[in-house]
Amino acid sequence: MDLDTAQSPLPLPGAAEAAWAACANGVLLVDAGIDSFPILDANPAMCRLSGRTRAALVGASALGLGGAQPGDLLGAALRTAAAGGAPQPFLVQPGGGAPCSRWTVSLAPQGDAAARLLCIAEDVTDLREQQALLAHLSTHDALTGLANRALFNERLQAAMAHAHTHAGGVAVLCLALDGFNLVNESLGYVAGDQLLISVAMRIQACMRAQDTLSRHGGNEFVLVLADVADSAEVQGVCEHIVRVIGAPFPVIGQSLHAGCSIGIARYPQDAGDGVTLLRYADMALSHARGLGGNQLQFFAPEMNQRTAERAQMEAALRIALIEGQLQLQYQPLADLQQGAICALEALVRWQHPLMGLIPAGRFIPLAEAAGLTTALGYWSLHRAVEDMLAWRAAGLPPVRVAINISPKQFRDAALPQAVAAALAQSGIPPVQLSLEITEAALMQDPQASDAILAQLKALGVGLTLDDFGTGYSSLNHLKRFPLDLVKIDCGLTGNIVTGADDAALVKTIISMAHHLGIEVAAEGVETEAQCDFLRRNMCDQIQGYFFGKPCDREQVASMLAARHAVPPHLLRIQKQARTLLLVDDEQNIVSALKRLLRRDGYQILTAHSGQEGLDVLAANAVDVIVSDQRMPGMIGADFLRAAKTLYPDTIRIMLSGYTELQSVTDAVNEGAIFKFLTKPWDDEQLRTHIAEAFRLKEIADDNERLNLELRTANHELAAANRRMEDVLRQKQQQITRDEISLNVARELLQFVPLAVIGLDDEGMVAFVNDAAERMFRQNGAILGNEADIVLPELFPDGLAPSGSHQVDIDGRCYQVVAHPMGANSQSRGSLITISTCEDLP
Ligand code: C2E
Ligand code: MG
Ligand code: MG
C-alpha cells in the first residue's frame, strides 16, 4: 500500500479530513500505549516541516523527531501526556535535515483516552529571526550598525567596573562633525547618511577591541576607551581620529572635507558615574565647537560652572521676557550725502534687576541657544512700531526703523505675516521699516531664503544685510538676494584708518555693492577720521558712537526734533576751507610763517615735531604741509614720507636751510616732497609757492569731486536699475500667477456640462467651451468672430444678450443668461451661459 496516497487510518469525517490535510501546523498521531511512541499518521504540513515523507514517518518512533535536544523534551512530554498529564507547549530544534529550525510543540490526547496523542508542531523559525533582529536593533544604530545609547551605557558600566577593580581608567569621547548640517542641507540626506557611515568606519578603524563606538543620533558619536593609562594615551587616540576624519570623503561623486570636534571626560578623575561622564564629555565638546571646531578639549571643572551660569541666565531671560525687563534702544544712522538721520536701528537691552542694563551683544547668543530669539524678535517689532507711532503723534519727521531678525526668526514661517500685520494695524508705511538679516542666516539654505525674502520684499519693507565682513563675505553669493543695504561690520570699520588690508577690503565692498545697486552703511564708526575715510570712499551711511550712541525713545525724539546731523565738512560732496599745516621745531620760525601767511586767508595749524604733525593730520583735513627738515625725533623727510602714505592727497613742501642730505633727495625722488624751498626764504616767493600748492590741491579736489559725483550718479542709476528689476520681477510673478488662475478657470469652464461662451468688450467670441461648441457645431468657426454674425441665435432681435432671455435653437427652448464681467476682476466683456429650459427649476 502506498502510504503517501492512502487514506488516513483515522475515522475522519469529510470536513475533518480536509482540515487535517490543509492545517498549516504539522500534526502527528502517536500511539501512546507503546514505549517507543510509534507514529500512526502525519499530515502534509508535518511532512513539510520535518522534511520526511509520510511513509518515512508512519511507523517510526516520535522520540527521534525532537532532534538532538538535551534532555529529549519531546520524549519527556509524550511520557507525561501518556500518564494523563498536560505538558506545557515547548520549543524543539528538530535538526535531521528539517527545513525549519524551530518548532513549538503542543500535545493533546486524541479522543477521550490518552492512548493516542496528537502532537502539533508550529514553525517559529521566522518569528525567532525577527526577535533576534529586534534584539539587535534595540542595542544598535540602524544606519551605521554601531552600538546605540543602550549598549553604550552597558559597555561604559562594564569598562568602569573593570577599571575600578584593576585601578585603571576609562575615557568617554563625544565627537561631532563640524558643518555636518551644511552637508545635509546642500547635498541632501542621502549624502549625509553616506558620510556618517564612512565616518563610523574610519573611527572604528582607530579603535581597539575593548573600545566601543556608539552613535547617539544625528552626527553625534560617543566612544568609550576602556583600559586607558593616562590623558596622553587618550589624546593620542583623539589626534589620530581628528587626522583620519580630516582627510576628504568621497560622497556621491564629490570630495567632502568634514573635520570634527571632540570633548573628553575621564573616569575616575572627572566623575564616578556614567551619566555625569557623558554630560561632561558633551560640555567639553560644546567648548571645542565654540573655539571654532576641529579641536579636542578635555573636560575642566570651570566648564561645569560656566554651563550652570548659562542655565541660570537662560532661566532669568525667560522671566525677563514675561516680566517686561526688556527695553528697546535706538541707534541713529546718518546719510553721508545730506548728513541727516536716515534710519534708527532698534537694539534690545535687558534691565536685569541685579546686573543693571545688559547690552544685546551679551545676551542675544544665550537667547539664540535657548530658542528665545523668535519671541524676542516679535517683542522688538511690536515695541518699535509703538515707539514709531509715539514719534508720529509728537509731530516728529518720519524715520525708518531697522529691526534685527535672528536666523531662527528668519526661518519662522509666520514672520512675513507678522510683519504685514504689524504694518497694517499701525498704518506705518512699509518703507519706514527695514529688517536686518545676517549673511549666515541667508546662506544656511539659500533656496529657502529666496522664498522668504521674496515674501518680505513684496510687503515693501527694506532688507538689510547685517554684519557683512564677519562670515563668508561673498557679495557674489549675495547678488541673488533682493537686498537694499549692506552693513559693514564694526570689526572691519575699526581698522580702516590704521590697517591697509581692512581699508582695501572696505573700499572693495563699497564698490562691489554699488555695482549691484545696493547701498552701504558702515557700523561702529567711532572717529572723525573713520567717517572721513568712508565719506571719501563713497560709503552712503554711517552708524556708530561718532554720530550717536544707542538711546531711548525720549532721547530719539529730542535728536529728531533737533535735526541732529553730520558736520558739513564730513559730507560726501562739499567744498572745504584751505588748511595749511606748518611744522618746525623752532617756535620763532612757526610764528614768522604764521604772520606772513595769515593774510592769504588760510586756516593755519602748527606742530613742533614730526610726530605732533602726524597727530594734527589725524584730527584735521589738511591741504598743504610746510615742514622743516632738521627736527629732533623725526626728520622732515621721514615725516613727509609718512604723510604721503597716510594722506596721499596732501601737497607737501619742505622749507629747510640744510640741503646736502641724501634723505632729502630720496624723499623728493619718491614724490614725498612736492617742492624744496630754502631758508631763509623770500616772503613773496614763499607765498607764491604756497598759493600754487593750494591751486594744485583744489584742481585735484575738483577732479575727485567730479569723480565722486559721477560715481554717485552711476551708483544711483544702478540702484534705480535694481529697483526696476525688482518691480519687473514682481510684475512677472503676478502675470504668471494671473495666467495660472486664468488657465484653471478656462479648464474648469471647458468641461462643465453647461454651454458657456465668452465675449470680449467689442462683441467678439473670446471663449467657447466644449458644450457650446457641440451646441453650435453647425454654425462653423465661432472663436475669434463677431458674435452677432456667427451666433445669430443668441441675438434674436439683433440685440446683444443682456440679463436673461429664452431662445429657440433647433426647436428646443434654451435659457440664455449674460453675466457682465469685471465686478471682481479686471476682465471686460461678458460670459454667456445657455441651458435647456427643462433644466430650469
Ligand atoms: P548689530 O545688529 O550689528 O548691532 C550693532 C551693535 O554694535 C550694537 O551692539 C551696538 O550697540 C554696537 N555699536 C554701535 N555703535 C558702535 C560703535 O561705535 N562701536 C562699537 N564697538 N560698537 C557699536 P548691541 O546692542 O550689543 O547688539 C549686538 C547684537 O545683538 C546686534 O548686532 C544684533 O545682531 C543683536 N541684536 C540687538 N538687538 C536685537 C534684537 O532686538 N533682536 C535680535 N534678534 N538681535 C538683536
Ligand atoms: Mg543690526
Ligand atoms: Mg551689525
Side-chain angles (χ1 to χ4, degrees):
M1 185 172 68
D2 179 359
L3 265 172
D4 281 333
T5 53
Q7 271 208 326
S8 164
L10 289 169
L12 294 173
E17 172 141 21
W20 167 263
C23 181
N25 290 341
V27 187
L28 290 177
L29 182 68
V30 175
D31 187 344
I34 301 174
D35 284 352
S36 63
F37 295 97
I39 296 170
L40 296 174
D41 202 356
N43 76 342
M46 193 68 218
C47 300
R48 254 193 333 273
L49 286 185
S50 61
R52 300 190 206 175
T53 60
R54 185 171 167 215
L57 286 169
V58 172
S61 168
L63 296 178
L65 267 188
Q69 291 274 352
D72 186 12
L73 295 178
L74 182 56
L78 284 169
R79 276 180 215 105
T80 308
Q88 290 295 312
F90 55 96
L91 184 75
V92 295
Q93 295 182 5
C100 53
S101 52
R102 284 187 177 83
W103 308 343
T104 41
V105 177
S106 340
L107 296 179
Q110 195 260 313
D112 294 337
R116 283 176 167 194
L117 289 171
L118 284 172
C119 175
I120 303 143
E122 186 186 357
D123 177 8
V124 291
T125 314
D126 284 354
L127 195 66
R128 287 278 150 177
E129 272 164 13
Q130 279 166 14
Q131 280 170 349
L133 185 67
L134 278 179
H136 182 83
L137 283 178
S138 70
T139 51
H140 290 79
D141 168 46
L143 176 70
T144 56
L146 297 178
N148 68 3
R149 198 181 282 270
L151 187 56
F152 155 84
N153 282 332
E154 219 173 85
R155 299 270 172 85
L156 176 59
Q157 294 307 328
M160 281 172 15
H162 184 266
H164 183 66
T165 34
H166 296 83
V170 178
V172 173
L173 278 54
C174 278
L175 181 151
L177 297 181
D178 299 327
F180 176 71
N181 287 346
L182 220 63
V183 175
N184 258 350
E185 279 161 16
S186 54
L187 299 177
Y189 290 101
V190 175
D193 285 356
Q194 261 188 41
L195 179 64
L196 288 175
I197 293 169
S198 310
V199 166
M201 285 163 66
R202 283 200 195 166
I203 303 176
Q204 194 92 62
C206 304
M207 296 173 60
R208 304 158 305 170
Q210 68 266 40
D211 301 333
T212 302
L213 170 60
S214 61
R215 177 168 171 253
H216 292 199
N219 68 336
E220 212 186 309
F221 294 92
V222 186
L223 292 78
V224 181
L225 302 187
D227 264 338
V228 287
D230 52 24
S231 299
E233 186 184 347
V234 178
Q235 179 147 356
V237 176
C238 292
E239 282 171 355
H240 185 44
I241 293 176
V242 170
R243 238 186 345 267
V244 298
I245 300 294
F249 286 88
V251 170
I252 57 163
Q254 302 206 29
S255 177
L256 289 189
H257 289 265
C260 69
S261 303
I262 304 179
I264 308 149
R266 290 151 310 159
Y267 171 86
Q269 296 90 328
D270 296 330
D273 68 285
V275 174
T276 314
L277 272 177
L278 182 59
R279 192 157 62 83
Y280 284 178
D282 201 37
M283 247 179 233
L285 170 64
S286 300
H287 200 76
R289 301 185 93 175
L291 293 174
N294 220 23
Q295 311 245 354
L296 47 105
Q297 274 288 318
F298 280 90
F299 169 77
E302 309 84 78
M303 292 179 190
N304 200 7
Q305 198 184 337
R306 234 173 295 152
T307 310
E309 279 170 12
R310 259 178 87 108
Q312 270 174 12
M313 281 285 269
E314 268 179 34
L317 189 54
R318 283 178 204 280
I319 296 170
L321 257 171
I322 300 163
E323 294 193 348
Q325 293 171 12
L326 298 182
Q327 297 178 359
L328 212 51
Q329 291 198 337
Y330 298 90
Q331 189 177 27
L333 281 93
D335 165 12
L336 284 182
Q337 281 203 67
Q338 312 299 328
I341 295 175
C342 57
L344 298 165
E345 178 176 8
L347 296 163
V348 69
R349 299 284 176 262
W350 179 6
Q351 183 65 55
H352 192 281
L354 301 173
M355 296 163 72
L357 200 65
I358 310 179
R362 278 186 46 208
F363 68 88
I364 287 288
L366 261 183
E368 187 87 37
L372 291 173
T373 39
T374 304
L376 192 146
Y378 289 124
W379 176 85
S380 297
L381 173 68
H382 290 114
R383 171 52 54 87
V385 165
E386 271 174 34
D387 290 347
M388 289 166 88
L389 289 176
W391 294 323
R392 185 159 79 181
L396 293 164
V399 63
R400 173 182 271 205
V401 171
I403 308 281
N404 286 287
I405 302 292
S406 75
K408 276 211 184 91
Q409 192 184 7
F410 181 62
R411 303 251 158 265
D412 182 17
L415 175 67
Q417 229 188 342
V419 173
L423 291 171
Q425 279 159 19
S426 61
I428 286 179
V431 286
Q432 277 181 32
L433 191 72
S434 66
L435 307 178
E436 296 196 359
I437 304 145
T438 59
E439 189 181 9
L442 291 182
M443 296 309 293
Q444 256 176 26
D445 181 350
Q447 264 98 32
S449 299
D450 281 335
I452 301 168
L453 291 177
Q455 288 183 58
L456 294 172
K457 187 87 197 167
L459 298 177
V461 297
L463 297 175
T464 298
L465 180 70
D466 203 355
D467 302 342
F468 190 71
T470 50
Y472 306 76
S473 303
S474 164
L475 270 178
N476 213 22
H477 278 121
L478 296 170
K479 68 178 174 207
R480 61 189 285 171
F481 301 124
L483 300 165
D484 305 291
L485 181 73
V486 169
K487 286 177 93 173
I488 299 175
D489 190 64
C490 295
L492 279 182
T493 315
N495 296 329
I496 47 176
V497 286
T498 47
D501 287 352
D502 285 355
L505 200 58
V506 166
K507 281 188 200 177
T508 313
I509 294 173
I510 295 173
S511 122
M512 277 187 70
H514 282 174
H515 211 72
L516 296 171
I518 303 173
E519 296 215 329
V520 183
E523 294 179 336
V525 177
E526 293 183 347
T527 65
E528 176 163 335
Q530 291 167 346
C531 182
D532 190 49
F533 173 93
L534 292 160
R535 163 194 91 75
R536 281 186 284 111
N537 287 286
M538 298 282 296
C539 185
D540 304 279
Q541 300 172 18
I542 55 153
Q543 176 184 12
Y545 301 157
F546 173 68
F547 182 64
K549 293 198 165 170
C551 54
D552 62 26
R553 175 163 113 176
E554 286 69 33
Q555 288 166 319
V556 169
S558 324
M559 213 160 38
L560 289 174
R563 302 203 176 258
H564 180 56
V566 173
H569 71 277
L570 289 170
L571 294 187
R572 206 151 87 176
I573 296 168
Q574 36 132 332
K575 185 100 184 124
Q576 279 178 287
R578 292 175 150 193
T579 306
L580 172 69
L581 169 63
L582 302 173
V583 186
D584 203 306
D585 58 324
E586 288 178 57
Q587 179 57 44
N588 57 344
I589 292 199
V590 172
S591 304
L593 286 172
K594 244 177 132 172
R595 266 195 311 278
L596 170 69
L597 298 166
R598 195 176 293 135
R599 69 189 83 159
D600 294 324
Y602 307 133
Q603 181 191 345
I604 299 177
L605 307 170
T606 59
H608 296 96
S609 68
Q611 189 50 57
E612 207 184 310
L614 288 176
D615 293 344
V616 173
L617 285 171
N620 300 277
V622 170
D623 302 296
V624 176
I625 305 170
V626 177
S627 171
D628 183 25
Q629 162 68 352
R630 271 220 292 197
M631 292 184 288
M634 186 188 290
I635 56 166
D638 288 346
F639 161 61
L640 291 179
R641 242 190 222 109
K644 180 194 174 219
T645 313
L646 292 167
Y647 312 98
D649 299 343
T650 49
I651 307 281
R652 299 161 298 272
I653 297 174
M654 183 169 278
L655 180 62
S656 173
Y658 193 69
T659 54
E660 272 74 45
L661 267 181
Q662 181 63 37
S663 57
V664 174
T665 326
D666 289 346
V668 172
N669 291 342
E670 286 164 22
I673 298 175
F674 160 66
K675 275 222 155 78
F676 186 91
L677 307 176
T678 50
K679 284 180 191 166
W681 62 86
D682 173 277
D683 279 359
E684 286 320 302
Q685 254 183 9
L686 183 63
R687 286 182 60 205
T688 312
H689 284 307
I690 290 178
E692 190 196 337
F694 274 106
R695 254 197 315 283
L696 259 181
K697 174 69 169 41
E698 274 159 11
I699 290 171
D701 283 353
D702 277 346
N703 278 340
E704 193 197 339
R705 189 165 52 245
L706 281 175
N707 191 16
L708 284 179
E709 276 168 359
L710 194 67
R711 284 165 66 191
T712 305
N714 276 340
H715 146 225
E716 277 163 4
L717 198 66
N721 276 338
R722 190 176 173 86
R723 278 195 295 276
M724 182 94 97
E725 274 171 22
D726 283 342
V727 171
L728 283 178
R729 202 170 22 240
Q730 281 174 23
K731 277 243 154 22
Q732 189 56 47
Q733 281 168 354
Q734 186 59 42
I735 290 170
T736 314
R737 275 198 296 274
D738 288 353
E739 257 175 24
I740 291 171
S741 28
L742 190 66
N743 287 340
V744 170
R746 267 177 196 278
E747 268 180 46
L748 208 75
L749 287 177
Q750 198 71 45
F751 301 118
V752 291
L754 188 71
V756 181
I757 292 173
L759 304 187
D760 70 10
D761 51 346
E762 288 178 354
M764 184 103 80
V765 179
F767 172 79
V768 184
N769 80 346
D770 286 354
E773 220 166 89
R774 279 195 300 280
M775 183 179 284
F776 296 105
R777 189 171 293 136
Q778 71 286 353
N779 294 28
I782 300 173
L783 201 64
N785 290 307
E786 309 240 342
D788 55 346
I789 296 173
V790 291
L791 294 168
E793 297 90 334
L794 303 183
F795 298 76
D797 305 320
L799 294 172
S802 70
S804 156
H805 67 278
Q806 294 187 347
V807 295
D808 193 293
I809 302 173
D810 287 343
R812 287 181 73 183
C813 168
Y814 287 91
Q815 181 80 19
V816 176
V817 183
H819 309 265
M821 312 259 285
N824 300 315
S825 68
Q826 295 197 330
S827 333
R828 282 170 303 170
S830 56
L831 203 67
I832 298 170
T833 58
I834 306 138
S835 49
T836 60
C837 293
E838 296 102 77
D839 290 345
L840 296 173

